[in-house]
Amino acid sequence: MAGWADLPLDLLNSISNRLDVVSLLHLSTVCTSWASAIGCRLPALPSFDPDQPIPWLFLQVEPSTSNPNHSDFTFYDLNSGSSYCVPSPIPYPSICGARWLGSNNGWLALINWQHQFHLISPLTGAHLLLPSVKFPDNYQGILARYWSNNRAEWHYCAKVIPCQDPDRRSGSHSGLLVLALFWPHGLAVWKDRGNKWTWLDLETRYKDAIVCGGKIYAVAHDFLHCWEVTGSSFKEWDIRTITNRMLKPHANYLVEFGGKLLMVCRNKEWSRLSHRMSVYELDLYQRDVLWKPVENIMDHALFLGMGYSRVASTFALDGAQENCIYYVDDDYFFCDLSIKQPFPDHDSGVHNLEKKTYERFPVDYSPPAAWFWPREL
């Protein structure tokens, strides 16, 4: 009886023509004959194990050279120092001129000129249109003065953070929970299969938010807010004041590390150069000393950027430096989107926590850029 390795080439080609990039990568690892047949169909991606997480830097998207209705996504590989293109069936007209707002678990988040929020997966071709963000009925607060037509416009969303739904009652951790931070203030959440956004706060300007330990955490200028997720409801769980003055003027990122909540403080001067970073751990059992300094993340690397910032083991990341913070230019308000600036002006690089050093990596892009994780950790 013939085995899978003896599958006729024309049948294997017919199957592979219907698969996305991720499925093709898995298929090519089945046996040497399949790898030989499928390898020529894969885009020029850096060598990696599809079962291990790897961060790519998303740079831009353009109309596909083979089909103007499709898209070509450009990524940058820090290990090889080269850019590469991934063709995708994502329709380019729907994302042309979009503002990129975040990334996580294979998803890129954006808002287009029609004020529509999208989640797209360049590798699988999945395309999810999210509901419009609207105010609660009869809302007459200050935020309404900034928005027209009772909806979020292109320039009023600061960050979108795709996360996994922590609600254990659903029986699955594969569902999406999306957090959106707005300008000048406001925080809303959307759960997978929901037909509307839920406002958690309409009066506060948050710097970052994350799902950690089954709860939603959001950091503002001088306090940390927390909500418990239960089904489709979000119950306020705790509010902690941030008393350390050194934390307040910085850009703050919330990161989960081994079930603990970390906050990274990134000093952004008008020169847009991060010359000081500090890492703190939240201590839920202390009221007087809320944040404990973290000097060492051991054999891990931390990646800061638009959307979801995360820590990953360097054992699974070829070439990544341990005990380091990788950061990119992620601020729309400090860049001219109409000019492609050379990389020396970018606030991007690697910070070694032990040596206290900063080293830029030479990648040319129009900021902001985002770390893209092809699959979940």
Side-chain angles (χ1 to χ4, degrees):
M1 179 181 293
W4 286 106
D6 301 316
L7 200 67
L9 183 59
D10 58 343
L11 180 56
L12 184 60
N13 288 336
S14 177
I15 294 173
S16 61
N17 286 335
R18 293 168 170 80
L19 298 178
D20 55 73
V21 175
V22 174
S23 299
L24 284 174
L25 287 168
H26 283 282
L27 206 64
S28 66
T29 63
V30 172
C31 61
T32 55
S33 61
W34 286 25
S36 176
I38 296 173
C40 61
R41 297 176 174 273
L42 291 171
L45 299 177
S47 176
F48 73 98
D49 182 347
D51 290 326
Q52 292 181 338
I54 181 173
W56 300 341
L57 195 57
F58 166 62
L59 300 182
Q60 64 178 9
V61 59
E62 297 177 326
S64 173
T65 55
S66 59
N67 186 335
N69 290 322
H70 290 182
S71 304
D72 283 344
F73 289 81
T74 302
F75 297 92
Y76 180 78
D77 176 30
L78 284 176
N79 296 331
S80 64
S82 59
S83 300
Y84 50 95
C85 177
V86 175
S88 174
I90 298 293
Y92 182 76
S94 66
I95 60 177
C96 176
R99 179 172 177 177
W100 301 95
L101 299 168
S103 173
N104 190 30
N105 286 354
W107 293 101
L108 285 169
L110 62 93
I111 183 172
N112 63 13
W113 286 102
Q114 288 75 41
H115 318 301
Q116 297 172 321
F117 286 89
H118 296 255
L119 288 179
I120 62 173
S121 175
L123 299 187
T124 66
H127 190 173
L128 185 61
L129 176 64
L130 302 185
S132 299
V133 179
K134 297 183 178 180
F135 294 131
D137 293 340
N138 303 316
Y139 173 73
Q140 301 294 328
I142 297 177
L143 189 59
R145 300 177 187 176
Y146 295 92
W147 291 18
S148 352
N149 302 320
N150 191 30
R151 66 183 181 183
E153 297 194 3
W154 187 87
H155 55 296
Y156 285 140
C157 191
K159 180 184 289 191
V160 169
I161 308 160
C163 305
Q164 283 188 311
D165 187 349
D167 183 17
R168 296 182 180 274
R169 299 195 315 166
S170 64
S172 172
H173 292 272
S174 60
L176 277 170
L177 185 147
V178 181
L179 301 167
L181 281 66
F182 296 97
W183 188 91
H185 44 71
L187 172 63
V189 59
W190 175 84
K191 290 190 69 171
D192 203 357
R193 296 177 297 277
N195 58 7
K196 67 177 183 178
W197 292 78
T198 299
W199 285 98
L200 299 180
D201 193 333
L202 284 156
E203 308 299 330
T204 305
R205 183 175 182 178
Y206 290 99
K207 299 181 179 182
D208 199 11
I210 195 174
V211 173
C212 178
K215 298 178 176 62
I216 296 173
Y217 290 90
V219 60
H221 178 68
D222 54 3
F223 70 88
L224 181 79
H225 210 147
C226 179
W227 294 266
E228 193 170 24
V229 182
T230 306
S232 58
S233 64
F234 306 91
K235 179 182 179 182
E236 185 176 286
W237 185 72
D238 196 10
I239 299 178
R240 298 292 185 94
T241 301
I242 297 177
T243 57
N244 189 336
R245 292 184 179 274
M246 193 276 291
L247 306 180
K248 296 182 182 180
H250 291 55
N252 301 101
Y253 302 83
L254 296 177
V255 187
E256 182 181 8
F257 181 32
K260 299 178 181 179
L261 183 65
L262 304 183
M263 180 167 68
V264 182
C265 302
R266 176 179 176 182
N267 191 2
K268 287 189 175 182
E269 303 292 346
W270 287 106
S271 63
R272 297 172 50 240
L273 301 179
S274 296
H275 67 270
R276 186 171 71 165
M277 292 187 184
S278 303
V279 184
Y280 297 86
E281 177 188 337
L282 171 65
D283 191 339
L284 289 172
Y285 302 100
Q286 295 290 334
R287 284 287 178 178
D288 297 330
V289 183
L290 179 60
W291 301 98
K292 300 187 299 183
V294 175
E295 303 292 341
N296 194 336
I297 57 175
M298 301 169 289
D299 53 358
H300 288 75
L302 200 158
F303 296 83
L304 300 184
M306 283 197 307
Y308 193 94
S309 297
R310 69 193 319 163
V311 176
S313 169
T314 54
F315 289 120
L317 305 175
D318 292 337
Q321 303 177 46
E322 65 179 29
N323 201 26
C324 286
I325 299 175
Y326 288 76
Y327 58 96
V328 292
D329 212 334
D330 62 349
D331 201 331
Y332 273 96
F333 298 102
F334 289 95
C335 62
D336 185 347
L337 296 178
S338 65
I339 301 176
K340 190 171 184 179
Q341 302 173 348
F343 68 80
D345 290 334
H346 294 168
D347 189 10
S348 306
V350 184
H351 169 49
N352 188 295
L353 288 170
E354 180 180 3
K355 299 178 181 179
K356 309 297 183 184
T357 58
Y358 292 85
E359 176 186 356
R360 292 188 182 182
F361 48 77
V363 52
D364 187 10
Y365 63 89
S366 295
W371 295 110
F372 178 77
W373 301 81
R375 62 178 298 276
E376 65 186 65
L377 288 171

